[in-house]
Structure formats: C-alpha cells, structure tokens
Amino acid sequence: MARTREFDTEAAVSRAMELFWTRGYEATSVRDLTQHLGIGQGSLYAAFGDKDGLYRAALEHYRTTLAAAALRSLEEGADVRTAIRALLTERIRIAVDRGGQGCLAVNAVCERLPQDAATRRTVRDMQDATREALTEVLRAAMERGETATRHAPHTVAAFLVTFLNGLLVSSKITPDASALELLVDVALTALD
C-alpha cells in the first residue's frame, strides 16, 4: 500500500521558490531543499521527480502568483501611463526588496539558458502573457487617444517587456528602487 504524502506540496513549492530565488538553481542542492522544506529526499523525488521537477514547479508557482498579480494590475482601469508605471515600479520593488535578488524568471534565464529548454518555455510563456496584456492595454489607449500611434501597440509592448528585463537585471547590480524608477519615466516616453 502506498504511503500518503505527509506534506503540503503547494507550500513546499512556495518555499522551494524562495530558496531557488535566493540561491539560484546551481547553488541549491537537494540536501538544501530537503532541509529547507522539512521533507525527506524520497518525498521530494516522489512528489516532484527530481530537483529539476521541483525547480519547474517553483517557476510555475512564480508565474501563477507574482507574475499573474502584476498583470492583474494592468486591468484595474487606471489610465495607461499610471497602469504601466505601476506594473514596472511594482516589479522593481519586488526585485529590490529582496536585497537585490532580482526576478526569479530573469534569474532563471541568466543561469539556465540556453541549455534548459523547459525553463526557456516557462519564462517565454510569462513574457508572452505580459506582452499580450500590454498590447491590449496599449491598443485600447491608442483608440482613446491617450498615446501616440507612431508605433504599433505590439512593438511598444515588446519594448516594455525588454526594458523590464533589463531593469530586473539592473536591480541585482544596483538594488536602489528610486534610481531604477527614474528610468521608468524615460521608458514611458515611448507612449508619447
């Protein structure tokens, strides 16, 4: 008879996400994970397959929690500049408040690509969702006359996602929210 899992897998994934975010994939051993999660190695393997499986679950948890919350802020009905500024500054705050840990997704790209195709897919899905949400917000803003029409909404959205990635890398080098937020003002001139 199979043993019942003796831990909350969702809580374990959330805690693993924090550890991977703090230390990175390579610097986090299975032993570190089992100690941090308070589970045995057999339980980790039974629930997630291996360290890679837990890492993918942690990235997916990041996508469905923090990344999804950032996108919801775009839908709150503020004018486009306010909504985009809020999205960008919130991402800066999260990256900087963690002592310069940056963004888990951007960190994953920097550490794991080009070798890890699964990480590439997960992060690309996150970025695609952000770009699509921004495109829709920008399209509606252009129709209302809130922004210039010299660039296609998809192009401006792609620029903003690329800019955000650079900001999140910079947050690891200079974890100073006020300095990084000044750059947001420059990026928003793309809407003029």
Side-chain angles (χ1 to χ4, degrees):
M1 183 171 175
R3 287 180 52 191
T4 356
R5 194 167 290 141
E6 298 174 8
F7 65 95
D8 178 347
T9 55
E10 189 173 324
V13 168
S14 180
R15 289 180 52 92
M17 179 189 79
E18 295 294 334
L19 189 60
F20 284 127
W21 200 344
T22 302
R23 300 187 67 183
Y25 177 86
E26 295 299 331
T28 303
S29 68
V30 170
R31 180 183 170 118
D32 295 332
L33 288 164
T34 58
Q35 288 178 344
H36 187 71
L37 303 178
I39 63 173
Q41 191 171 1
S43 295
L44 184 144
Y45 289 126
F48 305 104
D50 56 13
K51 177 180 160 182
D52 284 342
L54 181 53
Y55 187 68
R56 285 190 301 278
L59 280 174
E60 183 61 23
H61 179 71
Y62 180 85
R63 184 184 71 77
T64 60
T65 56
L66 292 170
L71 294 183
R72 281 192 298 276
S73 72
L74 284 175
E75 301 167 359
E76 293 177 352
D79 69 273
V80 69
R81 281 176 176 75
T82 302
I84 293 172
R85 179 185 310 281
L87 169 77
L88 297 173
T89 56
E90 177 63 13
R91 301 306 298 152
I92 290 169
R93 187 197 59 76
I94 290 169
V96 170
D97 283 355
R98 297 178 159 284
Q101 287 176 219
C103 164
L104 179 63
V106 172
N107 295 351
V109 167
C110 293
E111 183 179 19
R112 304 285 296 157
L113 297 187
Q115 295 84 4
D116 185 345
T119 295
R120 179 188 309 272
R121 280 188 303 275
T122 300
V123 175
R124 186 177 49 227
D125 289 348
M126 281 186 239
Q127 291 193 350
D128 288 349
T130 302
R131 190 178 56 253
E132 289 167 16
L134 283 166
T135 298
E136 289 309 309
V137 167
L138 289 163
R139 182 175 289 120
M142 283 182 183
E143 289 171 2
R144 292 188 307 267
E146 287 182 36
T147 63
T149 58
R150 67 175 182 221
H151 300 294
H154 185 270
T155 303
V156 177
F159 161 73
L160 291 170
V161 169
T162 302
F163 170 74
L164 177 58
N165 289 335
L167 270 180
L168 295 171
V169 170
S170 294
S171 74
K172 293 177 68 79
I173 300 163
T174 307
D176 178 352
S178 58
L180 296 171
E181 287 173 9
L182 292 173
L183 303 176
V184 170
D185 293 329
V186 176
L188 289 176
T189 64
L191 305 180
D192 297 338

